[in-house]
Amino acid sequence: MSAEDKRNKFLGVFPALVDELKSILSGYGMTEDALKWYEDSLNYNTPGGKLNRGLSVVDTYAILKGKKSYADLSDEEYFKLAILGWCIELLQAYFLVADDMMDKSITRRGQPCWYRVPEVGEIAINDAFMLEGAIYCLLKKHFRSESYYVDLLELFHDVTFQTELGQLLDLITAPEDRVDLDKFSLERHSFIVRFKTAYYSFYLPVALAMYAAGINSEHDLQQAQAVLIPLGEYFQIQDDFLDCFGKPEDIGKIGTDIQDNKCSWVINTALKLCSADQRKVLDENYGRKDAESEARCKHVFHDLKIDSLYLEYEEKTAHDLRNLIQNTDESRGFKAQVLTAFLEKVYKRKK
């Protein structure tokens, strides 16, 4: 099955979940206009992204169960896995609706951010809560009788809180309207990206699939986490690098990290290596909303050969991760192939 077919099959499940969620509201006696509002919020905010996190639940389960294709999954198996995948996408939607308000963002996925849609405004705060609440409604309806139901609940609660911890540190480290490079460090950047990105984007899809497949020993979960968390950090560092050094026609966007005062790997690496004069340039120009200041920062980054340092980092990280994967213990049912598949998607990506 092609990637596009997998995506379309996954998307085909979502309308039924929207109907289920609306029926829960109907059961509480919610009015028709409230039902329509919730439906619009679900459809506007949830299915518009790449869906990689949700699709990874199905892909991982198939590998763990030795399935050669989606066709080898029963309809019931696929539906339940797709629900877990959509729960991650609902979590992502919850984060993005809130994050866009905190960052005062303008667009998301090629359309206005939800809070900027006419008549929505600050109601989006409550809509974000309801996107998160949908996760637990779906888990209760479809997994309450499963032996791993509590594991799913705890996993979602833990990962949600971990992501919020990363968001907190990011917000107080690098607010757009107040630049203080003294707060930046590679150690702080590592904490932010591991907690804000790696847990929910890399570990969560695999852990969900593991529970569904009955592979739930602490040993195996730790094996997965030991590779997926640093892999998630590597993924975000790639993003940071591409934002500064990638070509817009290749990455599909114009990088804004410098002007937005992002606590990125690029600026933190530069701060560790720069001279006093270069530090002065960065202090005076980083986080400023103009092209000339951005160009001055990039000039420092090029002089410090940050692009070459990134390539060294990438090769070392990939080497270390391959060694970890090679030593995976498969005696309890976990498979190194799961981790290899994730690494192959990330290594040397250009967008």
Side-chain angles (χ1 to χ4, degrees), residues 31-259:
T31 58
E32 285 298 321
D33 56 339
L35 291 173
K36 177 67 166 55
W37 185 283
Y38 192 39
E39 180 178 13
D40 288 347
S41 171
L42 288 164
N43 285 320
Y44 194 93
N45 295 303
T46 313
K50 296 175 183 177
L51 307 180
N52 289 336
R53 296 169 183 82
L55 288 165
S56 293
V57 179
V58 187
D59 290 339
T60 299
Y61 179 90
I63 292 171
L64 291 172
K65 286 295 193 178
K67 309 287 186 181
K68 294 181 179 179
S69 72
Y70 279 24
D72 295 330
L73 298 171
S74 70
D75 290 343
E76 182 182 357
E77 263 183 315
Y78 180 83
F79 185 64
K80 295 196 82 166
L81 292 166
I83 292 169
L84 292 176
W86 279 114
C87 284
I88 302 182
E89 296 299 330
L90 284 162
L91 184 65
Q92 164 84 336
Y94 158 56
F95 290 147
L96 295 183
V97 169
D99 190 58
D100 286 341
M101 295 190 75
M102 287 182 262
D103 290 347
K104 299 180 177 61
S105 299
I106 305 300
T107 61
R108 169 71 66 181
R109 296 169 174 170
Q111 60 186 1
C113 297
W114 178 241
Y115 81 97
R116 291 180 59 86
V117 171
E119 299 184 14
V120 176
E122 293 188 356
I123 299 174
I125 297 170
N126 193 63
D127 293 333
F129 299 155
M130 292 185 69
L131 289 166
E132 183 195 23
I135 297 166
Y136 300 101
C137 292
L138 293 173
L139 292 178
K140 182 178 179 180
K141 178 175 174 62
H142 294 280
F143 294 92
R144 193 178 187 188
S145 62
E146 300 289 351
S147 60
Y148 54 90
Y149 175 57
V150 172
D151 294 317
L152 298 180
L153 296 178
E154 290 186 346
L155 182 61
F156 268 104
H157 282 305
D158 289 346
V159 170
T160 299
F161 192 57
Q162 287 163 334
T163 307
E164 290 160 353
L165 291 175
Q167 174 73 341
L168 171 61
L169 192 57
D170 193 19
L171 289 168
I172 64 175
T173 299
E176 280 196 51
D177 61 347
R178 191 169 62 258
V179 182
D180 182 0
L181 297 184
D182 287 338
K183 286 188 172 183
F184 286 25
S185 70
L186 283 169
E187 294 73 22
R188 183 169 282 224
H189 174 267
S190 179
F191 185 96
I192 290 170
V193 301
R194 283 176 177 244
F195 279 76
K196 185 177 176 179
T197 300
Y199 278 103
Y200 93 94
S201 297
F202 286 82
Y203 177 64
L204 179 58
V206 171
L208 290 173
M210 289 172 69
Y211 283 126
I215 300 169
N216 56 9
S217 72
E218 190 61 31
H219 175 72
D220 282 334
L221 291 164
Q222 284 296 329
Q223 285 196 107
Q225 194 170 130
V227 171
L228 293 166
I229 299 307
L231 181 58
E233 181 176 8
Y234 164 39
F235 174 86
Q236 184 58 54
I237 289 173
Q238 273 183 329
D239 253 16
D240 294 350
F241 172 78
L242 292 170
D243 186 275
C244 183
F245 291 92
K247 297 178 180 178
E249 60 268 26
D250 293 335
I251 64 176
K253 64 177 182 178
I254 297 172
T256 62
D257 282 0
I258 295 173
Q259 293 193 29

